[in-house]
Amino acid sequence: MTTPFDMYPLFAPLPGPFIEHLVHYMLQQHEPLSIPEAIDRALLELREKRWVSYQFMNPFVRMCLKGGVKGSIESFSTAWFLNNLSINSPFRGS
């Protein structure tokens, strides 16, 4: 285990193996980093990704809470959410 267990809550709700994978990925991508530096970089990237996701999803969630768009056949659902995440993924088509 690379990441101290007491830091896991900072990565919540990610599971432990995913946290370890992310930190190891940072170590490989940004050499030479110490383990604490890799953890900090992973947390920074995670915060950035969470902010982007929030900015993207917030208008749709607010629209859904207000009853949606009149006449729209779109509805907010898990399938809709996953579809839109995949459409807007930076890895799409790579």
Side-chain angles (χ1 to χ4, degrees):
M1 178 166 47
T2 307
T3 309
F5 187 70
D6 63 342
M7 294 195 78
Y8 275 31
L10 298 174
F11 290 91
L14 300 178
F18 192 94
I19 296 167
E20 293 302 320
H21 174 76
L22 183 59
V23 171
H24 283 285
Y25 177 80
M26 292 298 153
L27 285 168
Q28 292 171 353
Q29 295 298 310
H30 304 284
E31 293 184 36
L33 285 181
S34 66
I35 290 175
E37 289 170 329
I39 292 169
D40 287 344
R41 172 92 40 133
L43 284 169
L44 177 65
E45 294 232 359
L46 184 59
R47 273 187 237 116
E48 290 172 358
K49 302 303 185 245
R50 285 177 174 161
W51 179 246
V52 168
S53 298
Y54 172 81
Q55 292 290 11
F56 176 75
M57 293 304 303
N58 185 44
F60 296 104
V61 172
R62 287 181 177 273
M63 180 182 65
C64 178
L65 292 174
K66 290 181 181 179
V69 176
K70 191 171 186 169
S72 173
I73 59 171
E74 288 285 339
S75 64
F76 187 77
S77 65
T78 303
W80 177 91
F81 178 74
L82 292 174
N83 183 51
N84 277 282
L85 281 181
S86 66
I87 288 170
N88 294 284
S89 169
F91 302 109
R92 184 172 177 227
S94 56

